Amino acid sequence: VGSSTMVLLSLDAEAVGSLKDGVNFQKNPEDRKCYIIYKTSNGLKACKNQCKHQGGLFIKDIEDLDGRTVKCTKHNWKLNVSTMKYVNPPDSFLQDELEVEILDDGGLQLIELSPIDPWLDDPREPLELQEGEVKVTYLTHACMELQLGPRRFMFDPWLTGPAFARGWWLLHEPPADSLDRLCAADLIYISHMHSDHLSYPTLKVLSERRPDVPIYVGDTSRAVFWYLEQSQVKLTNINVVPFGVWQNIDEDLRFMILMDGVHPEMDTCIIVEYKGHMILNTVDCTRPNGGRLPQNVDLMMSDFAGGASGFPMTFSGGKYSDSWKEDFIKNERKKLLNYKALLVKSQQPTIYCPFAGYFTEAHPSDRYIRDTNVKNSAEDLNALINKLAPNIKTWTPKPGSVLDLGVALRDPTNSEAITNPPAGAKIYKDSWDFDLYVDELNSAISCEIFKHQSWIQFYYTWAGFQNYNLVVRVIETDDEFETLTDGYDYLVDFLDLSFPTKRPDREHSYIEVKNRIGVMRYVVLHGRLWDDLYIGFQNRISRDPDIYHHKFWNHFQTELPVDRPDWDQFLQQETSIQEPDTPQEEPNQWSYCVVL
């Protein structure tokens, strides 16, 4: 696949002459898209006016007297346009630069180098679909079953158990035969490694009944299934496919996985094509495929709800009062709703379905989060789309409802295109087996390793994050975030990876994290990512100064070693230090801990 260039903005000689030194904002009058041009005596630099974090617009940063930085209106991220580096948070992203081409007449063009849209490779004419030939069934959260002719294709099955340790639970009751359908699927796509998409409790059931079902994932830098071996779930047919390449299943069916522009190490999305009809599922991507997507697909689905982060619900101190959080969340959800509605409007699908936002913080200990973390409703988003783009048909799915694509395409107004679940079918879940899963997490508390204080040094050395001027205090707590008398409370100085008894005298950033003991110890024991704690609302955080340390969180949320800490080796070291005379017995793997 070759590269092509695209002219995003043209300025004539007069407009170029009127650019001032420093930051200039320019809008393309045709598509209203905004660009930033930075002028110095050395020449011009340019980029899109779009923050890499979550796509917000930049404005002039009034605090910046040198006239080099711009500030994002979404989360106050700051970009130094002279270096194209983000300065708040430090060490986070680099902005993608555009080529600035000076023309002979003194005008200029901003040019983007980009691969051709890979789905245009080998285009197919759409054939007419018969009634019943393509059916899309919503099961729960991000789990959809596509019946495409003779084949069944399942997306992101989370059908049982919690996600993010014990923080997220299913809002919608999946239809009673959902697990049977999963085990009968011809192929399964798992978009990314987050546990509301890659659900080990669900896949355990699948592995016991049909371990060789073909599962497809994108070739992300951290393998989607990095935890598979440790999970002890046996799946034998996982296929990692390259981005932007058609995968042909048969003469009628093919699919292509694309990466996310903001989280390329993790998030992916998918185009499925059957007889020339495209279904686009952007899942959780913030900027799917860097913002380039096929237009006019037959069916588009995306997330909509928001609330999938510990920020700001789990933060305290400083400005983080309940009323500040409520206002922030309300504002964020509104921005997200508008962003999604405009995305759908710009893509012009025939039919749009919001999904992948149907989770709830159901555990009684998380009542505060559930009450505060108000999410967008699918109905509200669809109402906004109906207003902005009345030609797009919207579908608000209920568990078990079915869209017949052939019927809907022939006549989008035909009410028979959508079959709702039978009257009396259960829509919302009301029991979740909390104890089963919470007990499994809490089994880590009594592990042998935690009888030795040196587990702390062993764990953070394994984690491998240092040379960063940050001190973190970690406090183990009960479910109400009250300190435990027999829990650990320690400092980690990430500058030199030391474990001081008090905060150092030098100037440093400081974070205090209170973690529920069972979840923290489970994460430590199994070498899991801190998403379980952070996205799962299992901790409470305060920070001084109040800045986001992208490098720290990114390391603990996506870059921890793939192999868990070697606790057997740790215990051998410990026991040999304590009892030099006793002969060493071979420790039985996992003997120090009951693991379910």
Side-chain angles (χ1 to χ4, degrees), residues 298 350-351 393 403-414 416-418:
D298 293 308
T350 308
I351 303 159
K393 181 184 172 70
L403 170 77
D404 185 313
L405 196 58
V407 175
L409 293 178
R410 268 197 296 284
D411 176 9
T413 60
N414 184 346
E416 298 195 348
I418 289 169

Side-chain angles (χ1 to χ4, degrees), residues 138-345:
Y138 167 72
L139 299 177
T140 189
H141 191 56
C143 183
M144 286 273 189
E145 182 196 57
L146 278 58
Q147 181 209 316
L148 305 148
R151 295 184 193 269
R152 289 171 184 268
F153 197 164
M154 184 83 84
F155 292 162
D156 284 338
W158 170 30
L159 300 169
T160 188
F164 299 111
R166 44 177 275 197
W168 293 30
W169 305 81
L170 287 168
L171 177 69
H172 283 158
E173 183 71 59
D177 63 349
S178 295
L179 284 165
D180 297 335
R181 290 178 184 222
L182 173 65
C183 296
D186 294 290
L187 51 161
I188 295 169
Y189 160 67
I190 292 182
S191 61
H192 63 295
M193 63 185 178
H194 279 162
S195 46
D196 58 320
H197 298 263
L198 195 174
S199 160
Y200 280 107
T202 305
L203 295 178
K204 190 169 187 294
V205 177
L206 177 66
S207 71
E208 286 158 3
R209 288 168 54 180
R210 202 164 149 236
D212 60 345
V213 62
I215 297 176
Y216 293 88
V217 296
D219 190 9
T220 46
S221 58
R222 188 181 186 98
V224 174
F225 274 100
W226 67 274
Y227 193 71
L228 183 67
E229 197 176 326
Q230 244 211 112
S231 73
Q232 297 176 2
V233 168
K234 303 271 187 286
L235 294 167
T236 58
N237 195 353
I238 292 168
N239 305 272
V240 179
V241 303
F243 291 119
V245 179
W246 283 120
Q247 306 295 317
N248 294 299
I249 299 299
D250 60 33
E251 61 199 46
D252 294 323
L253 176 62
R254 58 185 184 170
F255 68 89
M256 173 183 289
I257 298 178
L258 300 168
M259 74 164 85
D260 183 37
V262 172
H263 293 290
E265 77 288 341
M266 183 172 75
D267 275 332
T268 73
C269 57
I270 190 169
I271 303 170
V272 176
E273 191 187 72
Y274 175 80
K275 291 191 175 177
H277 293 274
M278 281 195 191
I279 295 173
L280 168 67
N281 173 10
T282 63
V283 208
D284 286 1
C285 289
T286 311
R287 292 205 65 225
N289 199 39
R292 304 269 313 250
L293 291 168
Q295 298 257 302
N296 311 118
V297 298
D298 293 308
L299 171 63
M300 173 178 175
M301 44 187 106
S302 79
D303 70 340
F304 67 94
S309 162
F311 186 84
M313 274 77 58
T314 58
F315 285 68
S316 60
K319 68 183 179 196
Y320 297 106
S321 64
D322 284 353
S323 60
W324 186 91
K325 290 183 199 178
E326 271 169 43
D327 289 347
F328 178 88
I329 288 164
K330 203 148 112 194
N331 205 6
E332 276 300 289
R333 296 296 175 271
K334 203 167 138 187
K335 283 196 284 205
L336 179 68
L337 206 67
N338 285 315
Y339 176 68
K340 290 289 173 187
L342 289 168
L343 178 68
V344 173
K345 183 185 175 182

Side-chain angles (χ1 to χ4, degrees), residues 515-533:
N515 292 322
R516 287 183 175 152
I517 184 170
V519 180
M520 182 59 186
R521 291 193 179 185
Y522 191 87
V523 165
V524 165
L525 177 67
H526 296 284
R528 290 179 61 91
L529 297 169
W530 282 26
D531 278 341
D532 284 348
L533 291 156

Side-chain angles (χ1 to χ4, degrees), residues 255-529:
F255 68 89
M256 173 183 289
I257 298 178
L258 300 168
M259 74 164 85
D260 183 37
V262 172
H263 293 290
E265 77 288 341
M266 183 172 75
D267 275 332
T268 73
C269 57
I270 190 169
I271 303 170
V272 176
E273 191 187 72
Y274 175 80
K275 291 191 175 177
H277 293 274
M278 281 195 191
I279 295 173
L280 168 67
N281 173 10
T282 63
V283 208
D284 286 1
C285 289
T286 311
R287 292 205 65 225
N289 199 39
R292 304 269 313 250
L293 291 168
Q295 298 257 302
N296 311 118
V297 298
D298 293 308
L299 171 63
M300 173 178 175
M301 44 187 106
S302 79
D303 70 340
F304 67 94
S309 162
F311 186 84
M313 274 77 58
T314 58
F315 285 68
S316 60
K319 68 183 179 196
Y320 297 106
S321 64
D322 284 353
S323 60
W324 186 91
K325 290 183 199 178
E326 271 169 43
D327 289 347
F328 178 88
I329 288 164
K330 203 148 112 194
N331 205 6
E332 276 300 289
R333 296 296 175 271
K334 203 167 138 187
K335 283 196 284 205
L336 179 68
L337 206 67
N338 285 315
Y339 176 68
K340 290 289 173 187
L342 289 168
L343 178 68
V344 173
K345 183 185 175 182
S346 71
Q347 291 308 126
Q348 286 291 316
T350 308
I351 303 159
Y352 171 71
C353 170
F355 82 144
Y358 301 105
F359 68 94
T360 177
E361 302 87 345
H363 195 276
S365 64
D366 290 324
R367 170 125 199 213
Y368 163 73
I369 301 285
R370 193 168 68 248
D371 292 346
T372 313
N373 191 22
V374 181
K375 301 168 196 70
N376 284 327
S377 83
E379 288 81 0
D380 289 351
L381 175 56
N382 281 344
L384 185 57
I385 291 168
N386 294 337
K387 199 168 91 184
L388 293 174
N391 56 318
I392 297 173
K393 181 184 172 70
T394 55
W395 171 34
T396 308
K398 294 194 166 48
S401 63
V402 183
L403 170 77
D404 185 313
L405 196 58
V407 175
L409 293 178
R410 268 197 296 284
D411 176 9
T413 60
N414 184 346
S415 60
E416 298 195 348
I418 289 169
T419 312
N420 279 313
K426 193 166 174 187
I427 302 295
Y428 295 103
K429 247 180 137 46
D430 54 18
S431 64
W432 291 271
D433 275 340
F434 292 136
D435 292 349
L436 175 69
Y437 298 101
V438 173
D439 289 351
E440 182 186 345
L441 292 165
N442 288 344
S443 69
I445 298 174
S446 56
C447 261
E448 185 66 28
I449 59 172
F450 299 112
K451 299 194 170 78
H452 308 275
Q453 183 155 9
S454 50
W455 74 263
I456 298 169
Q457 186 174 355
F458 191 86
Y459 173 73
Y460 288 97
T461 304
W462 165 84
F465 182 73
Q466 59 177 356
N467 303 322
Y468 189 84
N469 188 12
L470 173 68
V471 176
V472 178
R473 180 179 176 190
V474 183
I475 304 165
E476 293 186 327
T477 72
D478 63 14
D479 274 6
E480 308 307 317
F481 300 102
E482 298 295 333
T483 309
L484 292 165
T485 46
D486 53 351
Y488 282 99
D489 177 349
Y490 56 89
L491 291 166
V492 187
D493 185 339
F494 285 106
L495 191 60
D496 57 358
L497 204 53
S498 59
F499 304 88
T501 50
K502 62 180 205 344
R503 286 175 61 176
D505 295 331
R506 69 167 198 277
E507 208 170 294
H508 61 273
S509 293
Y510 178 69
I511 304 181
E512 193 171 286
V513 189
K514 296 177 171 177
N515 292 322
R516 287 183 175 152
I517 184 170
V519 180
M520 182 59 186
R521 291 193 179 185
Y522 191 87
V523 165
V524 165
L525 177 67
H526 296 284
R528 290 179 61 91
L529 297 169

